[in-house]
Amino acid sequence: MVDDIEGLIFDFDGLLMQTETTLLECWRTEWAHHGLRLDETTFFADHGGDTSEQHYADLAAAVGPAYDRAASHARRLAHRDLLHQTLDLAPGMRAWLDEAAGLGLPLAVASSSPRHWVHGHLNRRGELDRFAVRACGDEVTGHKPDPSVYLLALTRLGIPAARAVAFEDTPHGVAAAKAAGLRCVAIPNPYTDPTRFGAADLVLRSALDAPLAAVLRSVASSVRSQV
């Protein structure tokens, strides 16, 4: 273990795996199928949870009466599933998970996405069993920035928030972690303004920036300096 840290909690989408990228790509392709261009500046919401219905509504309004929702959905999912066949952990994450095991730190996932989504992706890459705890959006009533999923992860880990560190890729994810009383390391995803992560205890460009132990020592030191 590192200092007083007894557990690590990871967001999933955009942090452990770049499913935000595949999500954007399959919607971008679907808009292009209709000869339209997706407005990527407003695509990602400032909260966790499924926003598919709003995206379908936006596309339907842009296409008009000829829009076939069922065909569009099937086409988009087929493209998304093809992209996911080769999707792996984000750069540097596997090394961090290996290092966490060597440090004896239990791992958790805290995601606003449902269990079938999180478990399915991690299981496909052979990484599911690394996480002693999985807390998902269909197990709580509120999505990030609501802290519910982090509080659930902490309960299942059996450790207090002060002895765990969260890892996030969005401002609303950081807000959820901090509201749960956690220290938080941010790795901003490519679609979010990196200046919006002022609430994080540490901001990195990727998990390749530093070994996990060094990251945890930096977080622990920054907290002590504020006391």
Side-chain angles (χ1 to χ4, degrees), residues 4 21 25 29 33 39 68 78 105 118 146 149 156 174 182 219 225:
D4 63 343
T21 298
E25 175 57 27
T29 300
H33 175 83
D39 182 2
D68 185 333
L105 292 169
V118 175
D146 186 293
V149 74
R156 290 177 173 173
V174 173
L182 289 153
V219 171
S225 68

Side-chain angles (χ1 to χ4, degrees), residues 45-217:
D46 280 334
H47 59 80
D50 189 359
T51 56
S52 295
E53 289 306 315
Q54 184 59 55
H55 292 317
Y56 281 120
D58 291 343
L59 181 55
V63 173
Y67 181 66
D68 185 333
R69 160 67 184 267
S72 179
H73 180 67
R75 190 166 46 241
R76 185 182 72 82
L77 291 193
H79 183 48
R80 185 196 69 183
D81 292 347
L82 183 64
L83 294 173
H84 285 164
Q85 287 180 13
T86 56
L87 188 66
D88 202 354
L89 294 179
M93 279 296 166
R94 184 167 285 107
W96 272 14
L97 300 182
D98 288 342
E99 194 175 348
L103 293 169
L105 292 169
L107 304 178
V109 173
S111 172
S112 287
S113 292
R115 281 168 288 186
H116 73 83
W117 177 262
V118 175
H119 290 201
H121 282 295
L122 289 174
N123 192 55
R124 189 183 69 253
R125 303 311 305 178
E127 304 292 345
L128 183 62
D129 290 342
R130 288 198 193 245
F131 297 90
V133 165
R134 307 110 188 199
C136 299
D138 55 346
E139 300 181 280
V140 295
T141 57
H143 294 305
K144 299 172 184 177
D146 186 293
S148 298
V149 74
Y150 273 114
L151 296 174
L152 178 60
L154 285 166
T155 297
R156 290 177 173 173
L157 281 171
I159 59 177
R163 294 189 174 277
V165 175
F167 296 82
E168 275 286 351
D169 74 304
T170 63
H172 58 268
V174 173
K178 299 301 286 185
L182 289 153
R183 289 166 281 187
C184 187
V185 175
I187 301 178
N189 69 53
Y191 315 107
T192 305
D193 181 354
T195 66
R196 297 179 59 202
F197 289 82
D201 296 284
L202 179 66
V203 180
L204 304 174
R205 290 169 299 177
S206 83
L208 296 171
D209 280 4
L212 179 64
V215 171
L216 298 181
R217 283 194 297 270

